[in-house]
Amino acid sequence: MSQFKRTRKKECVFAILVVMAAVLITAVLLEVTLGLMGYGGEPEAIIRNMMLVDDPVLDWRYIPNSKFRQGKITNQYNSIGFRGGDHAIEKPSGVTRIVMIGDSVAEGYGVEWKDVFASIVQMNLGAGVEVINLGMGGLNTPQEVHILKEVGVRYAPDYVVVNLVLNDCDFFSSMKSGRRHAEQMQAKIAWLGITVSPELKRLLKSSALLYLINQRFADLWGRLAGEERHDYYGELWASQANRTKISTAFEKLEVLGHEHNFRVVVLIWPLVIDYSDYKFREVHQWIAEQAASRRFASLDLLPVFSVQSFRSLQVTSEDYVHPNAKGHMLAAMEFVKWFTHASGSSTPISTTD
């Protein structure tokens, strides 16, 4: 009997080893296959693609001529640290220039550059128009206007597009505080609630397979849970101090517009959530009124987005801020229609009238 038990135990151990070997071989093959397909691991921290600058309003920029990969998306930055091609400072004769400012939505988080709003607008408006994208992830509206003042006006824009997202009245982003947060997160696996060594987490995050599984798990969990917590945005806009950030930034933008002779259009991006009971229409209207009071044009994307299934516009199911390629396309087509009409008009146009 004891001989039988020992044999049985050896068979179980052997079976477990075979299964473990099969899983390991499969994982290696999948890792290699995903690498060949262009997938990569999660960026160790976006802060590694940023450099510290001496600026009290915005103490960081993306590193010029750098890139980072997130899943299958590679962000390539030009010689001044923005997505898109390089542009000469001197404006070509006969060309209308559009400078776009904004946060990660304008930058095109999670979307190939060819499918990003600014890129689609350029493609559709043709050679007579030059679109210069100055979107940077994590900025608020005052910082975006600061980027315009420090960088954008050098290009002598005829139009400036403010891509306004509903979290753009929040805190001022800072590389120094972001670095501290990244260091804290580098020693945690958040969804398991455990602490690990930074070296182990860097190894795990370098795996394309684990990154893809994590993305799919988070996406599935978001769809199954069906939870949407938007109190954050309600609290943001309930604060008069936060609204003042927008109105003050618009005042500075108005001054810049007069000094450098460009027209302003405020593009209002809605959250990518269930539109059957959208709670932020008043916020959209307030933004449009602030724009109109300074004779800016405004273009609200809510009517265009709200006739779509919001799930069809999301980058991932747990992300209620960043639209996918379809969302960027819808926005671009609306702007192209607006621009085609407005560029022949001497007065601002507002779609909220």
Side-chain angles (χ1 to χ4, degrees):
M1 180 64 70
S2 60
Q3 180 66 33
F4 172 77
K5 288 183 177 179
R6 285 195 295 271
T7 302
R8 186 69 173 171
K9 184 177 180 179
K10 289 180 179 179
E11 290 177 350
C12 289
V13 171
F14 179 74
I16 291 173
L17 291 174
V18 169
V19 171
M20 291 176 63
V23 170
L24 179 60
I25 292 171
T26 301
V28 171
L29 290 174
L30 287 173
E31 186 75 38
V32 172
T33 301
L34 288 171
L36 293 174
M37 293 173 63
Y39 286 90
E42 182 179 358
E44 184 177 331
I46 195 171
I47 202 167
R48 292 187 179 277
N49 195 57
M50 296 153 63
M51 62 182 183
L52 193 65
V53 298
D54 184 14
D55 187 328
V57 178
L58 184 60
D59 68 358
W60 64 272
R61 298 286 191 277
Y62 287 121
I63 297 173
N65 298 313
S66 65
K67 63 182 178 181
F68 73 86
R69 186 166 63 174
Q70 186 171 41
K72 205 174 181 179
I73 304 297
T74 297
N75 284 10
Q76 179 74 50
Y77 295 91
N78 60 25
S79 61
I80 58 170
F82 297 93
R83 287 187 83 181
D86 286 314
H87 302 271
I89 294 296
E90 185 176 353
K91 182 166 61 177
S93 177
V95 169
T96 299
R97 269 187 169 168
I98 304 173
V99 167
M100 297 195 176
I101 58 175
D103 64 1
S104 53
V105 171
E107 184 185 344
Y109 173 83
V111 179
E112 295 281 5
W113 174 246
K114 65 180 179 62
D115 297 320
V116 174
F117 171 73
S119 182
I120 300 172
V121 169
Q122 178 66 84
M123 180 177 61
N124 280 272
L125 292 181
V129 174
E130 185 178 12
V131 178
I132 301 173
N133 183 49
L134 302 181
M136 292 172 57
L139 304 190
N140 62 16
T141 302
Q143 290 179 314
E144 294 161 10
V145 173
H146 184 68
I147 282 289
L148 175 68
K149 180 181 179 181
E150 295 297 311
V151 180
V153 296
R154 302 175 191 171
Y155 294 95
D158 299 287
Y159 292 83
V160 168
V161 178
V162 182
N163 290 273
L164 204 150
V165 184
L166 295 197
N167 59 7
D168 284 355
C169 63
D170 205 347
F171 60 87
F172 283 67
S173 66
S174 165
M175 181 172 174
K176 296 174 183 176
S177 60
R179 177 180 291 164
R180 288 194 298 269
H181 177 72
E183 289 173 351
Q184 293 170 357
M185 295 306 295
Q186 194 62 39
K188 294 180 180 178
I189 298 181
W191 63 277
L192 290 177
I194 62 175
T195 300
V196 298
S197 71
E199 291 75 16
L200 175 59
K201 186 165 183 180
R202 278 194 289 268
L203 177 63
L204 295 174
K205 291 175 70 173
S206 67
S207 167
L209 177 60
L210 291 179
Y211 181 45
L212 188 62
I213 290 174
N214 181 65
Q215 282 188 313
R216 295 298 181 263
F217 175 80
D219 186 70
L220 178 61
W221 177 256
R223 292 179 184 276
L224 291 176
E227 296 181 357
E228 299 175 18
R229 296 184 178 90
H230 305 126
D231 292 346
Y232 159 74
Y233 298 98
E235 291 170 0
L236 275 183
W237 289 94
S239 167
Q240 184 57 47
N242 287 335
R243 293 193 181 220
T244 299
K245 291 175 187 173
I246 302 298
S247 57
T248 302
F250 279 8
E251 289 172 5
K252 294 180 179 179
L253 186 59
E254 182 180 21
V255 172
L256 284 174
H258 288 311
E259 290 178 349
H260 297 278
N261 195 31
F262 59 75
R263 295 178 61 189
V264 177
V265 55
V266 179
L267 195 66
I268 308 170
W269 293 79
L271 296 176
V272 190
I273 61 177
D274 185 355
Y275 296 115
S276 62
D277 185 28
Y278 190 76
K279 297 179 174 61
F280 305 104
R281 296 179 187 276
E282 180 274 330
V283 174
H284 285 234
Q285 183 62 35
W286 182 86
I287 294 168
E289 289 170 356
Q290 292 295 308
S293 70
R294 292 163 179 83
R295 293 184 61 78
F296 299 163
S298 63
L299 182 57
D300 191 346
L301 296 176
L302 180 59
V304 181
F305 276 39
S306 62
V307 296
Q308 307 290 326
S309 165
F310 80 97
R311 289 295 188 193
S312 72
L313 302 176
Q314 290 180 297
V315 171
T316 60
S317 65
E318 75 279 7
D319 189 333
Y320 300 106
V321 176
H322 301 100
N324 58 17
K326 179 180 178 181
H328 279 264
M329 174 63 78
L330 291 172
M333 291 301 95
E334 281 300 298
F335 179 78
V336 168
K337 285 192 297 183
W338 177 89
F339 181 82
T340 301
H341 175 57
S343 59
S345 172
S346 60
T347 58
I349 298 169
S350 174
T351 60
T352 59
D353 291 345

